[in-house]
Amino acid sequence: MKTPRIIQSRSRWVYLWGLLPILMAVTLLGAWSGYIQFRHPTEDRVTPLKFQVTEQRRQIELLETQRGRLREQVAALQRASQIDQEAIRQVREALRESRSSYLEMEKELNLLRGIVEAGVKSEGLYIQGFRLDRGDRPASYRFRFTVTQALKSAGTAVGWITLSLEGEQGGETRELTLKELTGETDDKLKMRFRHFQDVDGLIEIPEGFSPQQVVVEINPTNNRLPKVNERFDWQVAD
């Protein structure tokens, strides 16, 4: 009996021999590609961009820190400026008050000096510096004067001041009261001072009235002070 033999097909070997060149070509191509990449590697653009982004973030953080410091400096300068302005305002206010007090004291001194130079020997009230000026309107006039007191122990002078105007109207003598001259409801001015008091007001002359004299009367409520009644000619300052 014959032993059977396995006979391989020739077509399989032909297929393998045909595939071998393809495998070799793929191997060579891969080796060549690796060589090319080694000699000329592909340019990496991502990594430099990452470094650039990191550097920019660092610069931004530095700028934010610097801006914060500048804001603090600006706030400090603004506070200092406000403090300086407030200090300047207070100094100016103090100077203004000091000048006002100085002028007040100087005026008081001049008034008292005027009383002394006038040879006033008795205690009482005095009218000084009477003056008439033209007002804004043709028939309006402003009167000014100062009431002072001469006392050994100066107290507070309290009372009332009345003013009237004597003249002619329609060929007759007429006297106009302060109420008629000002249109106010009060016919007298309140007086209350220790050394002196400035008095001023605006009067309007009626049409057809020719003024001649201004009569000023002081009525103190203190019995120690006598009443005062003085007349001043109608003379308007230029």
Side-chain angles (χ1 to χ4, degrees):
M1 185 176 181
K2 293 182 181 181
T3 304
R5 293 183 300 172
I6 298 173
I7 301 174
Q8 296 181 350
S9 175
R10 292 177 61 89
S11 62
R12 182 178 181 181
W13 287 99
V14 173
Y15 173 74
L16 291 174
W17 280 103
L19 186 60
L20 182 61
I22 295 174
L23 294 173
M24 291 179 65
V26 172
T27 303
L28 290 174
L29 182 60
W32 176 257
S33 178
Y35 173 75
I36 293 299
Q37 186 174 3
F38 175 77
R39 292 291 303 273
H40 304 283
T42 303
E43 184 178 358
D44 186 3
R45 297 182 179 179
V46 177
T47 301
L49 290 176
K50 289 182 178 179
F51 283 117
Q52 185 176 357
V53 170
T54 303
E55 180 64 20
Q56 287 180 350
R57 286 178 178 174
R58 189 179 67 84
Q59 293 292 335
I60 290 173
E61 291 177 356
L62 291 175
L63 290 175
E64 288 289 343
T65 303
Q66 184 178 6
R67 188 172 65 172
R69 292 176 181 174
L70 290 175
R71 284 178 178 175
E72 293 177 357
Q73 292 179 2
V74 170
L77 290 174
Q78 288 178 345
R79 287 194 296 270
S81 176
Q82 291 174 357
I83 293 173
D84 291 342
Q85 290 178 2
E86 180 63 19
I88 292 172
R89 188 192 66 79
Q90 291 179 359
V91 170
R92 287 178 177 174
E93 185 67 23
L95 288 174
R96 189 159 39 248
E97 292 179 357
S98 176
R99 177 175 176 79
S100 178
S101 299
Y102 170 78
L103 293 176
E104 192 77 10
M105 292 177 63
E106 186 178 21
K107 182 176 181 179
E108 180 180 344
L109 179 61
N110 291 334
L111 289 172
L112 295 176
R113 186 184 292 120
I115 294 175
V116 173
E117 291 177 355
V120 175
K121 298 180 181 180
S122 60
E123 298 179 352
L125 300 174
Y126 298 88
I127 300 173
Q128 293 183 321
F130 184 86
R131 178 185 175 94
L132 286 169
D133 293 289
R134 298 186 184 277
D136 298 332
R137 292 178 293 183
S140 64
Y141 300 87
R142 180 170 295 277
F143 64 87
R144 294 184 178 92
F145 59 91
T146 302
V147 182
T148 62
Q149 68 169 333
L151 291 175
K152 294 180 180 179
S153 56
T156 301
V158 181
W160 302 95
I161 302 172
T162 60
L163 184 143
S164 60
L165 184 59
E166 291 182 352
E168 291 184 359
Q169 188 174 22
E172 297 181 359
T173 302
R174 184 182 176 187
E175 183 175 1
L176 300 177
T177 64
L178 187 62
K179 184 188 297 186
E180 294 173 318
L181 294 170
T182 60
E184 300 290 338
T185 57
D186 240 339
D187 201 21
K188 53 188 176 181
L189 304 173
K190 187 175 181 180
M191 178 186 70
R192 186 179 184 86
F193 65 93
R194 183 175 178 83
H195 298 292
F196 68 92
Q197 177 176 331
D198 292 327
V199 181
D200 70 275
L202 191 67
I203 59 176
E204 189 167 348
I205 307 302
E207 185 177 357
F209 183 83
S210 177
Q212 296 177 349
Q213 284 189 329
V214 180
V215 182
V216 180
E217 185 174 344
I218 303 175
N219 298 290
T221 56
N222 188 348
N223 294 328
R224 291 180 58 191
L225 298 172
K227 294 182 179 181
V228 177
N229 188 298
E230 289 194 31
R231 295 173 176 269
F232 302 92
D233 292 336
W234 181 266
Q235 295 180 351
V236 181
D238 296 331

